[in-house]
Amino acid sequence: MRTYHCFWLLFWAGQPHQSFLTPLSKRTSGFPEKEKVLVLSGNSRQDLHRSKRSWMWNQFFLLEEYTGTDYQYVGKLHSDQDKGDGSLKYILSGDGAGDLFIINENTGDIQATKRLDREEKPVYILRAQAINRRTGRPVEPESEFIIKIHDINDNEPMFTKDVYNASIPEMSDVGTFVVQVTATDADDPTYGNSAKVVYSILQGQPYFSVESETGIIKTALLNMDRENREQYQVVIQAKDMGGQMGGLSGTTTVNITLTDVNDNPPRFPQSTYQFRAPESTPLDSPVGRIKANDADVDENAEIEYSITEGDGYDMFGITTDKDTQEGIITVKKALDFENKNLYILKVEATNTHVDPRFLYLGPFKDSATVRIQVEDVDEPPMFSRPAYIMEVKEDVPLNSVIGTVTAQDPDAAKNPVKYSVDRHTDMDRVFNINSGNGSIFTSKPLDRETLLWHNITVIAAEINNPKQSSRVPVFIKVLDVNDNAPEFAMFYETFVCENAKAEQLIQTLSAVDKDDSYNGHQFSFSLAPEAASSSNFTLQDNRDNTAGIFTRKTRYNRHETSTYFLPVVISDNDYPIQSSTETVTIRVCACDHRGKMLSCNAEALIHPTGLSTGALIAILLCIIILLVTVVLFAALRRQRKKEPLIISKEDIRDNIVSYNDEGGGEEDTQAFDIGTLRNPEAIDDNKLRRDIVPETLFMPRRTATARDNTDVRDFINQRLKENDTDPTAPPYDSLATYAYEGNGSVAESLSSLESVTTEGDQDYDYLSDWGPRFKKLADMYGSMDSDKDS
């Protein structure tokens, strides 16, 4: 008989609430009536068969979240080689072996040491083996089994978002999809109803509903209006265990916003608007604003305004302010109070984006009446034309009237108007105007050839209010009269060969005329009467405004006559006929047989041997520049001002003033008394200078003595007043210099120049008491005193 060594796995069935053993593969019928075992023999696994039933066991079920104080019992390992004498040792390996799961190596009991969480790890795969404790060799092959963590309902449903945000158009139909919320449950969905989630609405009815199985939120109320309520907050609950009692639940918040649709037409808050506009309102200026209210927002509230009818349909326009959605009424044509002072308009406001779904709510437009009152203002005179064009002949006598402008006061008062010419447009004062009737007349002779058009501006102003004035341009065209004689088109100077033949053409003449001719110019050429019979040349009029000069004889001698001056009379055919006499210079020259000039008696002009014309002009320019330079230098020297004595205005302590005035000696006390500059009270007005002879004798002028503590400004003003009233004072462009240090100084004057007005020696010992700044001065004057003593 063949012997099998078996390894038994015994499962403790005494506490079915802690661990469970279930069939892995298939079962025949019913439940096992006795102990379930797994036989592992050799390298294969064989099931123990019983009559009518067969089982395969290789996994444990263990409840998660065990809360007992002892280790949780899992099962028992047993080998048929175990005699109970302790010779075998059971070893456990695999997931969590030695940490989560421990085995009693003597008895084979398996226990869980910690609380297990199926959501962290639902299945543990372990391997068991029995070895000989003495030799360490396995007595059974290693067997693998599974421990599955049995789920309990310990996780509530969790939504994917804490807060959902959704929006739907207002006025949506019932059942309109809003948003779908989703909640997940971490429990085992294959075991019981722990992970079966059911949705319900806790807040938000009767406006919205939710499908219990899908979490889809839909509208439940018809025609929800955004203008009544825009924001809704819906609370959705997700509950496991299929929503049964005892199930765990979680909630989320859904913020639902109703978006706007164009379901409200614009409406004017009032049926009539009134505005006032002065008749002087500029074109395109606003008169007033109107606004139709629309409860919608954004583009659904955009309004277009238009004037549909009224007597001011063509006088006013209306535009839409895109920012405020207001209608701006503007002036299209000039207003005139005297012509019409009241306009009535009908203004219509229409939505620009109309939704056809809501046309049944009524027309999406509204209208209002606008009354515009025109106010009278004092207007400037108005000319009868926007511009005047006048014509005048250039030979018209002075003070001849050439035209009239007319302007009237458009106001009801009809104030009188006076006219004038804007002299900025007529600087030469060629024209003038009668201020009473507006007739324009000439004040200077006219010349069409100098200026064809005169463009002046006439001003019309109210006599009672000259500020009310207007301007009009007047274009005056000067018409031509035949007042200019024709003349040569150029200066003609030609030559004739000494060997010329008779009737030989030597020059063709042409003429021009400054006057206009409507039918074209017709010039006639002839020799002057004094040269017609005695001339050596003849003139032939070609009748095409040109003429030819021909030789009358065969030969000419330059030694007899070197130059001929031929007078030619040119006449026009206009009225009155104008004519002029022009001179043609003809030189006699030596020519070759082909008629080419070789030399003339004026060879110096043709082949100059001296300085050229350009050189002479350059020399002349140099001389002129030199003369101008000398004249300018002399003028600058004459006009150059004398440099001021004191240049710096900030610091005058270190300046040295040089007068370069040599007096008449010590006895000359009248030539230049410097003491009077420092002490104005010491001036003696009765003394005259003895070193010069006065040009005109006037009575001496007594200068008022400056009072004590006189301000410098008062002192200067006093001196200016004296000079203005003094007939002996110099001209206004003379420079009068005053030096005044004021009165009341503690130190008095420090200048040694004043010593000329004092007698005797002075004691300068007090300078030593003034501090270190006056030490140098004290040493200087102290040493002077010691020198005098010695």
Side-chain angles (χ1 to χ4, degrees), residues 122 150 295 464 588:
H150 195 283
N464 299 332
V588 180

Side-chain angles (χ1 to χ4, degrees), residues 446-560:
L446 303 177
D447 186 8
R448 188 202 67 85
E449 289 71 32
T450 302
L451 186 60
L452 177 61
W453 284 93
H454 294 267
N455 302 328
I456 66 174
T457 299
V458 175
I459 303 173
E462 295 182 6
I463 295 179
N464 299 332
N465 186 10
K467 292 183 178 180
Q468 293 293 338
S469 63
S470 57
R471 298 167 176 261
V472 67
V474 179
F475 307 103
I476 303 174
K477 182 180 181 180
V478 181
L479 300 179
D480 185 43
V481 296
N482 193 24
D483 59 344
N484 290 279
E487 56 188 14
F488 280 150
M490 57 179 294
F491 174 74
Y492 289 103
E493 182 178 4
T494 185
F495 70 94
V496 62
C497 294
E498 288 182 312
N499 55 358
K501 298 179 181 180
E503 302 299 326
Q504 181 179 342
L505 178 64
I506 62 174
Q507 183 66 50
T508 300
L509 307 177
S510 63
V512 293
D513 195 334
K514 294 180 181 179
D515 294 323
D516 269 343
S517 178
Y518 298 103
N519 298 322
H521 291 290
Q522 292 293 331
F523 301 129
S524 60
F525 300 85
S526 63
L527 292 177
E530 65 271 14
S533 59
S534 61
S535 176
N536 294 309
F537 303 92
T538 60
L539 181 68
Q540 179 180 341
D541 191 346
N542 297 328
R543 304 299 180 183
D544 60 353
N545 294 335
T546 63
I549 300 177
F550 294 87
T551 58
R552 175 175 286 185
K553 61 182 182 177
T554 302
R555 296 186 62 82
Y556 296 86
N557 190 341
R558 59 176 173 160
H559 298 290
E560 294 179 359

